[in-house]
Amino acid sequence: MRGATHAKWAATALAVALAATACGGGGDGGGSGADGIVSSSWGDPQNPLEPANTNEVQGGKVLAMIFRGLKQYDPKTGEAENMLAESIETTDSTNFRITLKNGWTFSNGEKVTAKSFVDAWNYGAHLKNNQKNAFFFGQIEGYDQVHPEEGQAKAETMSGLKVVDDRTFTVKLSQKFSLWPETLGYAAFAPLPRAFFVDHDAWLSKPVGNGPYTVDSYSKGSQMALKRWDGYPGEDKAQNGGVTLKVYTDNNTAYTDLTAGNLDLVDDVPASQLKNVQADLGDRYINLPAGIIQTLSIPFYDKAWNTPNGDKLRKGISRAINREQITETIFQKTRTPAVDWTSPVLGEEGGYKNICGDFCTYDAAEAKKLVAEGGGIPGGTMKISYNADTGSHKEWVDAVCNSINNALGNNRACVGNPVGTFADYRNQVTTQKMTGPFRAGWQMDYPLIQNFLQPLYYTNASSNDGKWSNPEFDKLVDQANAEPDTKKAVEIFQRAEEVLRDDMGAIPLWYQNGSAGYSERVSNVALNPFSVPVYNEIKVD
């Protein structure tokens, strides 16, 4: 299933995962000054770069450069601020009147209008377009008509969207949600030009947006070149001539290129290099908390992993993982053991709390007992799947398996299962091909507890890759969404999280810092709270 949902609202993966060689970094003759080209490591996105069809980090990096929406998240605080929106007004948290700023165009010269948003959202929501992020329009009245849970669509457009004039449109939600405007910086809500609809294939080959960069060229498996758009009307103009995103199938190779002066930026320092990075880069190494959590997803669509006592099996596996040891030895303090399913960046008021408790605490004897009570490891050996091309996942997967094997006294209980590329891996995940636990990560799109729960664990949510489903969890999420008092809403979300814990719908591993390194050739390099480089602010010296 893609997109069908009971949800009333949601917003995702920001969240926030291509050209000749001469456009690269220090060793590639990328030039200097305001017109210099920044070279950065990257991985091919899973899908073509349609805003409503991109829900992974690599594709999200590009969308964040070539699009701007109604809201933009502050690169330092993550706060949602007006970008194309001049105002978003409501008196009842259900009906919203949106007025656009003057002067915005797409890079092809086409004016950005209210219709640019309404058409894009209707396209993203419609069943026939098979967009992975269709779910995120589910809060708009009429979504159930364009994207029913069963059967064919009964309408072409959502009744809750109305164009008033070129600069104004109205939105009616299917239930109250006072914080809905804060979700509108997510890329799925970006406007689309008429060119997208007139010649869709041509647009996909060279996407046209309204952000500070344009796509110059893309060679899949090699690189994408983005160039500064000098006609960009926003205040956050690019301070460099462009960015070349180079595809690496091994982050260690990217790191070697960085230290050799052949690459300007690596935004995910491999675990194997963390012991060297301070000596190699000094103050050109960035290690900051980010809104990212890593988990093990469970394939609940596989009956062997979804049994009456399966919660005990999953809790036992969780208790067999020595998070403290792994984060200390493998990740060199760039990870923190998880105690819930959110992130410390939310703070206590935002919903961060030790909800997992003992079930996320290493205890070999208790782990062995719970796994046995849960029926044992299906087939005798569980395979943890991960993409082998980026992120140095092999090191930590091997460490997790060693911890599980030691706790259970069985060196065959767990093994790693590498899958070639990120795109191949995601294709297997999204087509429900997993036969055991698999690597999952979530990068927040805005700092709300809902963003860590609903998109991932609500029944049929677009990023619910394990297909976990629990009616009580769904009910509590719906109640939290409708609650106008933020404090009370957070408390209801935490009750939903307790339901998730009791069934161990996914196994929390650790919270991830943003970890990046850059060359002497560039300056003003930073990661935003979502751990994505703020490309437009990078300067080439």
Side-chain angles (χ1 to χ4, degrees), residues 385-389 417-426 428 434:
S385 296
Y386 62 95
N387 58 297
D389 58 346
N417 179 42
V419 177
T421 68
F422 178 76
D424 290 340
Y425 174 73
R426 285 298 303 168
Q428 289 188 29
M434 295 296 161

Side-chain angles (χ1 to χ4, degrees), residues 196-330:
F196 177 91
F197 304 97
V198 172
D199 193 340
H200 192 217
D201 289 342
W203 190 94
L204 290 179
S205 67
K206 197 170 184 179
V208 173
N210 65 323
Y213 293 94
T214 62
V215 176
D216 189 54
S217 64
Y218 174 35
S219 177
K220 186 174 177 61
S222 178
Q223 62 185 25
M224 173 180 276
L226 298 110
K227 295 295 181 65
R228 179 183 65 222
W229 175 32
D230 289 328
Y232 175 65
E235 294 182 0
D236 55 335
K237 298 179 186 297
Q239 298 182 41
N240 49 68
V243 179
T244 297
L245 299 173
K246 295 189 172 186
V247 176
Y248 284 86
T249 56
D250 183 350
N251 270 21
N252 285 286
T253 304
Y255 185 81
T256 299
D257 278 354
L258 172 68
T259 55
N262 297 321
L263 189 69
D264 291 322
L265 175 62
V266 170
D267 66 350
D268 188 5
V269 175
S272 60
Q273 299 293 346
L274 290 173
K275 61 182 180 294
N276 307 316
V277 68
Q278 198 68 56
D280 289 342
L281 301 177
D283 60 6
R284 290 181 287 110
Y285 170 54
I286 300 171
N287 178 29
L288 296 171
I292 303 175
I293 183 171
Q294 302 288 337
T295 64
L296 286 181
S297 281
I298 308 296
F300 283 88
Y301 47 80
D302 185 331
K303 291 182 180 179
W305 286 94
N306 192 5
T307 63
N309 290 322
D311 65 305
K312 292 183 177 180
L313 167 65
R314 297 185 290 274
K315 290 170 182 173
I317 292 171
S318 179
R319 299 217 67 175
I321 300 172
N322 193 332
R323 295 166 178 80
E324 291 281 354
Q325 184 182 70
I326 293 170
T327 53
E328 179 69 25
T329 59
I330 299 293

Side-chain angles (χ1 to χ4, degrees), residues 10 34 51 142 157 245 260 362 422 435 465 485 495 516:
T157 59
L245 299 173
Y362 179 74
F422 178 76
T435 58
D465 293 329
D485 184 284
R495 286 164 52 197

